């Protein structure tokens, strides 16, 4: 009788672990979907005043990037406030892992987000998001040179597919007025470098700090750098303040909320189903961006855009995980 009870308990535990891992996959999908929608909403905001008209080519997107990270940091602080984590901000900033998170924020914020928003403004959200989905491949290459990590043949194949996908996406520009399309793609590549470097730098810090607090510090640090140094340097402060008097601020506030939610979902997915599977589902944002772009902005889905985004997604999955293991839900 006791053996039967023990067997039932083991079966119940296994069932709970399987359910936990399946829920983690759902959070991974949510992280990808919300980031894809984030980019499309930002693209819509950049098409409104005060980011249009007399705004310079660089000042408007960079002001928008600063506002995005500011709102993301604000929403995350509210989340941490109501979950009792707000005291951890000051304590974490006094530690080495906390400072590493701040350093990673410089690459993921002013470098990556600026390139990302400039890419969205010049090339369109779906195209920029497709290119930036390659960031794990860039991270793998940086880890090879900086951390001396070995790159397996599967990862090299994934990197190669990412390059092929990027070439496919950029082969045919979108319909409409995009005179700086290829410059926008180049700046999107800058974003992949920034996020890849952030991943390498923050790997240690994020492991030692509560993820929700770390993300809040990351977004807050990025906003401070934008507000103090980057936005004034590109003469974007007027646009920054004018945005609060325009409808565009509602879109950016929503995008900041989606960005914060995406990060929270991403780390919850990591906790519940493992890094490899979580990242593989997260980078589906390249395809989500195409879907939301079509749904909300009337994006013309070309074979090169859809095919290139799909190739980049497959390539990035090969970089992050063994496809055979992705759906083998085990205790993580």
């Amino acid at each position: 009788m006791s053996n039967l009870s023990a067997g039932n308990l083991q079966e119940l535990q296994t069932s709970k672990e399987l359910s936990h891992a399946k829920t983690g996959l759902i959070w991974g999908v949510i992280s990808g979907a919300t980031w894809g929608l984030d980019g499309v909403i930002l693209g819509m905001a950049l098409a409104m005043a005060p980011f249009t008209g007399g705004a310079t080519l660089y000042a408007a997107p960079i002001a928008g990037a600063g506002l995005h990270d500011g709102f993301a940091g604000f929403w995350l602080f509210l989340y941490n406030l109501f979950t009792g984590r707000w005291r951890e901000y000051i304590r974490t900033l006094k530690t080495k892992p906390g400072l590493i998170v701040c350093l990673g924020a410089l690459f993921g914020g002013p470098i990556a987000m600026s390139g990302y928003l400039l890419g969205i403004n010049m090339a369109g959200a779906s195209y920029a998001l497709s290119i930036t989905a390659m960031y794990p491949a860039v991270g793998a290459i940086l880890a090879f040179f900086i951390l001396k990590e070995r790159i397996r043949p599967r990862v090299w194949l994934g990197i190669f597919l990412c390059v092929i996908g990027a070439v496919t996406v950029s082969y045919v520009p979108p319909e409409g007025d995009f005179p700086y399309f290829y410059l926008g793609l180049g700046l999107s590549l800058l974003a992949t470098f920034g996020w890849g470097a952030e991943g390498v730098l923050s790997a240690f810090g994020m492991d030692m700090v509560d993820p929700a607090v770390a993300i809040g510090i990351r977004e807050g640090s990025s906003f401070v750098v934008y507000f103090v140094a980057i936005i004034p340097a590109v003469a974007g402060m007027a646009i920054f303040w004018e945005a609060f008097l325009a409808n565009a601020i509602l879109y950016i506030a929503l995008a900041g909320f989606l960005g914060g939610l995406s990060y929270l979902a991403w780390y919850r997915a990591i906790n519940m189903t493992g890094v490899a599977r979580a990242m593989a589902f997260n980078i589906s944002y390249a395809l989500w961006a195409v879907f939301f772009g079509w749904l909300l902005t009337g994006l013309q889905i070309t074979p090169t855009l859809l095919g290139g985004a799909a190739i980049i997604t497959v390539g990035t999955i090969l970089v992050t995980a063994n496809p055979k293991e992705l759906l083998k839900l085990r205790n993580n």
Side-chain angles (χ1 to χ4, degrees):
M1 189 71 175
S2 61
N3 289 338
L4 180 61
S5 298
N8 289 340
L9 287 173
Q10 181 62 38
E11 184 178 345
L12 180 61
Q13 179 65 25
T14 301
S15 176
K16 286 183 176 179
E17 290 170 356
L18 183 60
S19 176
H20 192 70
K22 286 181 177 179
T23 303
L25 295 183
I26 294 173
W27 280 112
V29 172
I30 291 173
S31 73
T34 49
W35 191 254
L37 181 56
D38 175 300
V40 173
I41 296 295
L42 279 173
M44 295 168 67
L46 292 178
M48 301 177 180
F51 301 103
T52 56
T56 66
L57 185 64
Y58 300 101
I62 289 177
L67 285 164
H68 173 273
D69 281 6
F71 274 108
F74 171 74
W75 295 123
L76 287 164
F77 177 76
L78 288 182
Y79 173 80
N80 288 320
L81 177 65
F82 287 107
T83 55
R85 296 182 175 92
W86 64 273
R87 292 184 181 88
E88 294 296 307
Y89 275 75
I90 296 176
R91 187 192 67 79
T92 300
L93 287 171
K94 295 178 180 179
T95 65
K96 183 179 178 180
L99 295 177
I100 291 175
V101 169
C102 291
L103 178 61
L106 296 179
F107 284 89
I111 293 176
M113 277 302 295
S114 295
Y116 173 58
L117 265 291
L118 286 165
I120 288 176
N121 195 44
M122 296 180 187
S126 298
Y127 288 82
L129 279 154
S130 296
I131 295 296
T132 60
M134 297 190 300
Y135 78 89
V138 175
I141 295 172
L142 291 174
F144 173 76
F145 287 105
I146 298 173
L147 304 179
K148 308 302 179 185
E149 292 185 0
R150 184 169 68 91
I151 298 181
R152 303 185 181 202
R154 184 197 77 241
V155 177
W156 280 118
L157 174 60
I159 292 171
F160 174 74
L161 286 176
C162 285
V163 173
I164 295 298
V167 172
T168 303
V169 165
S170 60
Y171 189 71
V172 179
E175 293 183 359
D177 186 20
F178 290 94
Y180 303 102
F181 175 71
Y182 292 105
L183 176 58
L185 293 184
L187 290 164
S188 299
L189 284 173
L190 175 64
T192 68
F193 167 78
W195 280 325
E198 180 187 21
V200 173
L201 286 169
S202 298
F204 171 73
M206 290 291 191
D207 285 342
M208 305 295 289
V209 178
D210 184 300
V213 174
I215 298 164
I217 291 174
R218 178 248 190 250
E219 296 290 358
S221 300
S222 175
F223 171 72
V224 169
V225 173
Y226 268 117
F227 188 78
V228 172
I230 307 299
I231 298 176
V234 297
M237 290 304 294
I239 299 171
F240 178 92
W241 292 117
E242 287 172 14
F244 286 93
L245 303 176
N247 289 334
I249 199 66
L250 300 176
Y251 286 77
I252 293 179
L254 174 59
F257 175 81
L258 291 168
L261 176 59
S262 179
Y263 270 108
L264 287 174
W266 152 242
Y267 279 98
R268 182 161 291 188
I270 288 174
N271 181 58
M272 300 179 79
T273 197
V275 175
R277 284 192 289 269
M279 184 174 288
F281 281 87
N282 172 261
I283 54 87
S284 67
Y285 71 72
L287 296 175
W288 282 109
V290 174
F291 169 73
F292 285 122
W294 166 78
L295 183 66
L296 298 177
T297 68
L299 172 73
Q300 183 69 33
I301 300 179
T302 64
T304 53
L305 171 59
L306 186 59
I311 293 171
I312 289 172
T313 301
V314 171
T316 306
I317 289 174
L318 289 174
V319 169
T320 58
N322 185 341
K324 293 181 180 179
E325 301 296 323
L326 286 178
L327 298 179
K328 290 184 179 179
L329 301 179
R330 300 172 181 172
N331 186 23
N332 290 285

